[in-house]
Structure formats: C-alpha cells, structure tokens
Amino acid sequence: LGYTGIDISTEMVEAARMTHGENDARRFLNADRPDRPHDWCVASGIFNVRLERDDASWLQVIFDIIDLMDAYSTQGFAFNALTSYADIDKKRDYLYYASPEDLFARCKSRYSRFVTLVHDYDLYEFTIIVRKSP
C-alpha cells in the first residue's frame, strides 16, 4: 500500500512533508496530476473555492480534474463538492456549489456504471464514488 499526496501549492507540499515525512509508502508531489496510475484517486475539498471564476469556467475545471482522476486510477476515484442544496444564507460568493445530479450523470455516462452519490451527511456537501468494476 502507498499514498501519494499531490498539490499545486509548493507550500502545502512542504508542510505535508514536514508533518508526515516521506518514505516508500508515503510521498508528496508538487504537481497538477499524478506521475503514474494509482488504484484510487481521491479529491477532498478542491472544488469548493472558485474565487473570481464564473460558474461555467469553474465547472470546466472540475470536469478536467475528474477526467484526470479517471485516467490515473485503475480501480476508481472519489471526490466531494459543496452542494447546490445548501441553505441560501450559508452560501458564499467565492465558493462553488455543484449540482449533485449533474455530476452524478456525468460520471455515470462517461466513466462507469458503478457510481454512488452520497448526500446524507451533516455537511453542505456530497461525495461521488466511481468504481471501475463492481
């Protein structure tokens, strides 16, 4: 078993190395994609902060990253996003609130027929898990 953490922020990668160290089972890359295929790719929280981008261009970023996750995973991938069902008074302009249905449909039609949408936990977010086989 092994873990590869990937971040585009040099500071975040250095902080991970300092906190957790690196060895044969754990490494951290300053990159925008894996350097080789992995069993699973998991993205947590990376789709939330869109800053000044409009919704359409941010959604394209999400699509591009999900495409990469599919290309670099052998068994499957999972990601979470803030939900468009969040209470209106909790929403912030700099955050992106995705449609769970739209991302589920995209994953189901493009990547696998084994897709799970989890939207029943106490956060304003959802998780999608895509398995390449049952």
Side-chain angles (χ1 to χ4, degrees), residues 73-117:
S73 65
T74 59
Q75 294 181 27
F77 61 91
F79 61 90
N80 64 0
L82 295 172
T83 180
S84 57
Y85 291 97
D87 294 346
I88 204 76
D89 62 314
K90 305 286 189 213
K91 290 185 176 182
R92 301 294 176 256
D93 290 343
Y94 61 91
L95 298 176
Y96 181 76
Y97 298 88
S99 163
E101 299 92 348
D102 291 351
L103 287 177
F104 176 86
R106 182 177 179 89
C107 290
K108 191 89 167 151
S109 66
R110 292 179 65 107
Y111 309 117
S112 176
R113 50 191 198 114
F114 309 107
V115 180
T116 302
L117 169 60

Side-chain angles (χ1 to χ4, degrees), residues 14 19 32 67 70 75 104 128 132:
E14 288 305 316
T19 302
D32 66 352
D67 285 346
D70 177 59
Q75 294 181 27
F104 176 86
I128 292 183
K132 297 203 173 177

